[in-house]
């Protein structure tokens, strides 16, 4: 039987178990989590051990065995898990991850790491106050010592009366012995009470058995293993008839045996009717077919490919539906009432279906958050800071694709918060703050968006120093900048070199990259900070990337989509507000600001279709920069299904993707951030 | 009608493997992910054999066996525990709760099937 088919499940499950162990150990370390937590960690280790042993991953099984031994001692109260022990356990969690990756992807095995993890566990196990702790690998029960050539075995088997009540049945054992060799059965019914007093639920019969053949004693012991504490059992070697003693003993012990022994199974089954038949009969009576889908499985694992295919198909359906809606608008309602009401229904069903399918891809944001406790611990230890991590809103759901892409920016922000945001312990004490800093991670839904925030209660951004840095780097500054305009400066690429900042109280290491990644997801980043009070970075993301609310505009006879989350306003500027500056660059005056003005028709190389001289401008914000886009006409708003252009064609600057409109035409989705700035 | 088996394990891969092995052997298999789920399904459907993991959240295997054994319809049903070699004290605990016997992890599918065949006769 090929059991490799279960490996994928085992790997995935083990990853979850490793994560559970890690989270539990961290909770134990920080003093949170009580007895339950130890049980959870133990169960996770135990599960990995059972699976890895069954599926043949011995290295994993060996290590988890050590882990389990230590955890079992903690679970049964024989050992307190001190920082040292938790450190060792966490080390072996890392080693398990490594082993798992090696087993799954054939990654190189890091022997040094494995040895280190094992050694650390060994030290703790053997360092136990009571010497019994060690013995990590139990020897298999030794086979019985070789005996002097018997021809078989003489077995005396007398079950206790309660034997049936454990679901055991002597018949099974006799049958099993019969398969080992030639079996002679003699039943002893001397204990049997008179029929009127007989309780058929009790076992009254005993057996004298002779099993002839070259059979290992352990095989016989195995047969009775489940009932060894529920019977009296003796197993003695049966010597050849020539060595007189044994047969004589048989005869004297079992006078009944003088009667010709009937073929083995018959008397046995006849003598033990009650237990063998009762359950079976009850069973037959109740085997009205009960639907098997009562089964308790409440989740299934599905390949992402299949879900993606489903989403794609629903996307097509949405487009078809939009096409039908558009066509049907031209029909006379009085003539096509039924058709139109059917189309309305289709509209609703499509929307519901779309929502339901999208929700399949939704995962709780804990998927991303769960890695942080460990990371925060490690960074804090390395920097010698005390840090508490608070998370909230872990259950908030978000598209899997978005979650995967948000992890790196979050890692960056959390690392920054600890490294740059939080003061040293001494500085905190001096400032009258609690010794341990707090880093918080939170997620909440807001409309069709999710807001993820990374906050700290550290020193906060220093306005003056950021301003000074900006001047030094020649970054243009507005007059009398507001706080948020200043915080925005840390997203400037110029601020992203580490050594320029280690000594600056703000953050900024790679913040431009963070903003770029989040913009690519259609999200926005914002910083709130107060000197001495801490900093919060707020990320606003759409729930999914597959569907987008867009503003449809017409440019040069084509339709373009502007993602609604980047649109700020649209206006019809008077010509005197449009100025041409150095070169051919044009700017648009919007109230106090001058924004770069780009003509989309020129950007995309389309003929100018506009006849009137009244342009329409849409102000958009992308990556913290505002600009105005000149379009011919505003058409409306609609949800569009985003099709990836890169995957199907290639990357084009200024285009984020494409969609198919209701009338079947393709419309490009504008990516304002990557539009060439100089037209 | 083939024998109805109930497999209880919180590990999906283990459950899948056991279920697969037993289905291949011609048995009808129902799965449950912990003791509470198992008890629920065992009350609505008769099983000829229950194989349960010991360590599980919500309700472990030993408590499940104790509860099943107290139900009239499971008085004589074979109830097997899946244990690991380090669970020797668990074996006696399980026996005391009414377990018929145990299967030792790790096991291979053939071995499992052979044991089940013996138990079901």
């Amino acid at each position: 039987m090929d059991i490799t088919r279960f490996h994928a499940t085992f790997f995935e499950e083990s990853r979850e178990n490793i994560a559970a162990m890690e989270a539990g150990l961290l909770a134990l370390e920080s003093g949170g989590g009580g007895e339950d937590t130890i049980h959870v960690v133990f169960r996770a280790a135990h599960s990995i051990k059972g699976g890895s042993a069954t599926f043949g991953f011995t290295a994993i099984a060996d290590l988890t065995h050590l882990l389990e031994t230590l955890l079992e001692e903690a679970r049964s109260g024989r050992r307190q898990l001190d920082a040292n022990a938790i450190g060792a356990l966490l080390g072996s969690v890392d080693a398990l991850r490594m082993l798992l990756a090696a087993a799954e992807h054939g990654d190189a095995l890091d022997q040094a790491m494995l040895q280190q993890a094992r050694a650390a566990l060994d030290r703790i196990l053997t360092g136990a106050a009571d010497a019994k702790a060690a013995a990590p690998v139990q020897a298999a029960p030794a086979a019985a010592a070789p005996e002097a050539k018997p021809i078989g075995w003489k077995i005396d088997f007398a079950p206790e009366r309660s034997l049936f009540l454990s679901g055991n049945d002597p018949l099974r054992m006799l049958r099993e012995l019969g398969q080992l060799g030639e079996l002679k059965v003699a039943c002893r019914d001397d204990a049997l009470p008179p029929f009127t007093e007989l309780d058929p639920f009790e076992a009254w019969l005993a057996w004298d058995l002779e099993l002839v053949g070259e059979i290992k004693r352990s095989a016989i012991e195995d047969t009775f293993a489940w009932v060894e504490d529920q019977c009296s059992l003796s197993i003695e070697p049966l010597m050849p008839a020539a060595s007189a003693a044994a047969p004589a003993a048989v005869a004297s012990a079992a006078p009944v045996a003088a009667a010709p022994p009937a073929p083995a199974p018959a008397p046995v089954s006849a003598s033990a009717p009650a237990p063998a038949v009762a359950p079976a009969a009850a069973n037959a009576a109740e085997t009205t077919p009960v639907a098997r889908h009562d089964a308790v499985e409440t989740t299934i694992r599905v390949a992402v490919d299949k879900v993606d295919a489903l989403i794609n198909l629903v996307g097509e359906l949405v487009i078809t539906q939009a096409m039908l809606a558009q066509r049907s608008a031209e029909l006379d309602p009085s003539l096509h009432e039924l058709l139109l009401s059917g189309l309305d229904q289709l509209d609703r069903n499509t929307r519901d279906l779309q929502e339901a399918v999208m929700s399949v891809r939704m995962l709780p944001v804990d998927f991303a958050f769960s890695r942080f406790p460990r990371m925060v611990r490690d960074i804090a230890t390395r920097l010698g800071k005390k840090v508490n991590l608070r998370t909230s809103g872990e259950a908030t759901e978000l598209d899997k694709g978005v979650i995967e892409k948000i992890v790196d920016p979050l890692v960056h922000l959390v690392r920054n918060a600890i490294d740059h945001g939080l003061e040293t312990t001494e500085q905190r004490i001096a400032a009258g703050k609690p010794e341990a800093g707090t880093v918080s991670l939170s997620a909440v839904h807001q409309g069709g968006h999710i807001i993820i925030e990374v906050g700290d209660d550290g020193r906060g951004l220093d306005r003056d120093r950021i301003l000074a840095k900006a001047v030094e780097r020649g970054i243009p500054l507005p007059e009398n900048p507001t706080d948020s305009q200043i915080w925005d400066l840390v997203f400037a690429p110029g601020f992203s070199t580490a050594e320029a900042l280690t000594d600056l109280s703000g953050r900024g290491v790679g913040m431009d990259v963070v903003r770029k990644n989040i913009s690519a997801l259609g999200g926005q980043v914002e910083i709130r900070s107060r000197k001495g009070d801490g900093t919060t970075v707020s990320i606003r993301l759409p729930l999914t990337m597959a569907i987008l609310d867009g503003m449809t505009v017409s440019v040069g006879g084509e339709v373009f989509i502007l993602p609604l989350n980047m649109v700020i306003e649209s206006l019809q500027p008077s010509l005197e507000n449009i100025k041409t500056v150095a070169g051919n660059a044009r700017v648009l005056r919007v109230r106090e600001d001058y924004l770069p003005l780009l003509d989309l028709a020129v950007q995309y190389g389309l003929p100018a279709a506009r006849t009137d001289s009244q342009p329409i401008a849409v102000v958009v914000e992308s990556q913290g920069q505002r600009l105005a886009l000149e379009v011919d006409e505003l058409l409306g708003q609609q949800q569009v299904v985003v099709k990836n252009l890169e995957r199907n064609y290639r990357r084009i600057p200024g285009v984020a993707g494409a969609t198919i409109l209701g009338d079947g035409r393709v419309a490009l989705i504008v990516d304002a951030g990557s539009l060439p700035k100089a037209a | 009608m083939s024998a109805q088996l109930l497999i209880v394990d919180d590990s999906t891969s283990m459950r899948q493997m056991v279920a697969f092995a037993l289905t291949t052997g011609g048995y009808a298999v129902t799965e449950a992910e912990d003791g509470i789920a198992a008890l629920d399904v065992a009350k609505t459907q008769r099983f000829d054999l229950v194989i349960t993991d010991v360590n599980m959240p919500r309700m472990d295997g030993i408590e499940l066996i104790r509860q099943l054994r107290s139900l009239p319809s499971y008085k004589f049903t074979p109830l097997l525990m899946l244990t690991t070699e380090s669970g020797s004290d668990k074996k006696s605990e399980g026996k005391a709760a009414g377990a018929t016997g145990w299967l030792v992890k790790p096991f291979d599918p053939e071995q499992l099937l052979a044991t089940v065949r013996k138990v079901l006769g």
Side-chain angles (χ1 to χ4, degrees), chain A residues 541-555:
Chain A
L541 288 167
L543 290 180
T544 170
M545 291 184 293
I547 292 188
L548 172 143
D549 278 312
M551 176 186 261
T552 43
V553 298
S554 151
V555 177

Side-chain angles (χ1 to χ4, degrees), chain A residues 307-317 357 641-643 647:
Chain A
V307 178
D308 285 347
L310 200 58
I311 288 174
N312 239 327
L313 287 172
V314 172
E316 301 292 338
L317 183 65
V357 169
V641 179
V642 181
K643 301 277 177 188
R647 205 178 301 149

Side-chain angles (χ1 to χ4, degrees), chain A residues 54-76:
Chain A
T54 301
F55 296 117
F57 303 112
T58 40
I60 300 178
D62 286 352
L63 183 60
T64 31
H65 184 89
L66 280 177
L67 264 175
E68 195 195 55
T69 312
L70 184 53
L71 289 169
E72 169 61 35
E73 288 180 14
R75 192 171 75 134
S76 60

Side-chain angles (χ1 to χ4, degrees), chain A residues 210-224:
Chain A
E210 275 184 32
L211 185 58
V212 179
E214 208 175 301
I215 298 151
K216 279 193 184 142
R217 186 191 182 97
S218 61
I220 300 170
E221 284 170 344
D222 279 352
T223 305
F224 292 103

Side-chain angles (χ1 to χ4, degrees), chain B residues 44-104:
Chain B
T44 57
Q45 188 182 351
R46 246 327 277 264
F47 292 98
D48 305 298
L49 170 66
V50 179
I51 301 178
T52 177
D53 186 24
V54 175
N55 283 293
M56 290 179 296
R58 301 211 295 164
M59 185 194 283
D60 68 15
I62 291 174
E63 182 58 25
L64 171 66
I65 286 171
R66 194 172 293 129
Q67 300 256 358
L68 281 176
R69 199 54 95 197
S70 70
L71 299 175
S73 50
Y74 286 90
K75 203 165 180 174
F76 300 111
T77 308
L79 307 175
L80 300 183
M81 302 186 287
L82 268 178
T83 67
T84 51
E85 77 276 25
S86 63
S88 56
D89 48 343
K90 286 285 170 197
K91 283 179 195 166
S92 44
E93 219 183 300
K95 280 296 285 187
T100 304
W102 54 85
L103 294 157
V104 177

